[in-house]
Amino acid sequence: MFASKANVIFQDVIKTYHIINLVDQPFKNKYDEKTHLIEHLLYRKCWIDTVQWHYEDIIRAPQIDPIAALKLKRQIDASNQDRTDMVEYIDSYFLEKYKDITPKINATINTESPAWGIDRLSILALKIYHMKEEAERTDASEIHRAACQTKLNVLLEQQVDLSTAIDTLLKDIENGDKFMKVYKQMKMYNDDELNPILRSQK
């Protein structure tokens, strides 16, 4: 099933990132865009999420220099834009894949597109990885580890449920029971015409 493939790729990305464990490390996609497009997109998507996860950790350091924090905020904004763009690329893949499917007369639309479900699955993989670290942290108290294990169990259950929901949605689209639309996110904060602060600086 598709979600199983995605989960394996996400786990590989997160494991690979943590070998060096630096936000500015070089990125190399393990999948060729021409021969393995969806794998290429999934790998890139999770790498963006993984780097941003650690950006969010760094910026919360109480002693962070304000100038460094501002630079990091800009990097987080850029990462958010990359993340959104990648979601749209993944949805474009599915639109192309299912372009010849004729929805049934009574077909319905889902609350989110396949790629936004995949976005949640990628972030969930990160939560699982880091919660597992906490549940196994030897320098933490037994109470802390037990609490984190309880949370980890919930996250793992969520992963099963979300994976099932994504696979079901894709099957429903393939069968014509659901149809998909892709709405651009139309983020305004990075656009120097739509953000009044940026526009005033022109």
Side-chain angles (χ1 to χ4, degrees):
M1 302 294 281
F2 179 85
S4 295
K5 175 195 291 188
N7 284 323
V8 169
I9 291 172
F10 295 159
Q11 290 165 11
D12 184 30
V13 170
I14 296 166
K15 181 179 178 182
T16 300
Y17 172 91
H18 284 94
I19 293 172
I20 298 176
N21 200 20
L22 292 172
V23 292
D24 57 355
Q25 65 181 287
F27 169 70
K28 181 176 174 58
N29 201 312
K30 293 185 178 180
Y31 298 94
D32 184 82
E33 184 177 6
K34 294 180 180 178
T35 59
H36 294 84
L37 177 57
I38 189 59
E39 293 87 353
H40 179 90
L41 295 175
L42 292 172
Y43 196 95
R44 176 63 179 151
K45 171 70 178 67
C46 190
W47 189 273
I48 292 168
D49 295 337
T50 304
V51 171
Q52 184 161 340
W53 177 284
H54 292 86
Y55 279 158
E56 299 285 3
D57 279 348
I58 295 167
I59 204 168
R60 284 167 173 77
Q63 73 280 11
I64 191 169
D65 175 73
I67 295 175
L70 179 59
K71 178 184 176 183
L72 189 51
K73 177 63 171 67
R74 299 283 187 261
Q75 290 173 304
I76 290 171
D77 283 348
S79 179
N80 268 321
Q81 188 65 59
D82 286 345
R83 171 179 168 244
T84 300
D85 291 346
M86 194 55 56
V87 169
E88 291 173 358
Y89 291 146
I90 293 170
D91 266 336
S92 294
Y93 166 87
F94 287 117
L95 281 172
E96 177 65 22
K97 179 176 181 178
Y98 298 123
K99 66 181 181 181
D100 296 326
I101 300 293
T102 301
K104 297 173 183 175
I105 295 174
N106 61 344
T108 58
I109 193 167
N110 209 49
T111 57
E112 64 182 2
S113 68
W116 280 111
I118 292 162
D119 171 75
R120 291 167 54 207
L121 195 64
S122 172
I123 294 168
L124 188 55
L126 281 158
K127 290 181 180 179
I128 288 169
Y129 178 91
H130 288 284
M131 193 63 72
K132 186 172 186 292
E133 275 192 328
E134 290 298 313
E136 297 174 353
R137 188 155 63 88
T138 55
D139 62 339
S141 69
E142 186 174 339
I143 293 174
H144 174 87
R145 293 197 302 271
C148 290
Q149 183 62 52
T150 299
K151 292 176 182 178
L152 176 60
N153 293 341
V154 174
L155 292 171
L156 290 169
E157 183 179 356
Q158 288 178 354
Q159 187 181 51
V160 171
D161 291 345
L162 182 54
S163 297
T164 302
I166 290 169
D167 285 337
T168 300
L169 173 59
L170 293 175
K171 191 67 176 175
D172 286 345
I173 294 171
E174 187 176 333
N175 291 338
D177 295 314
K178 294 270 187 183
F179 63 93
M180 63 177 289
K181 290 183 180 180
V182 175
Y183 294 100
K184 299 289 184 180
Q185 289 300 297
M186 303 179 194
K187 290 186 180 293
M188 301 174 72
Y189 55 77
N190 285 329
D191 192 313
D192 61 9
E193 288 295 335
L194 300 178
N195 180 326
I197 303 299
L198 295 179
R199 187 167 61 244
S200 69
Q201 305 301 310
K202 292 178 67 176

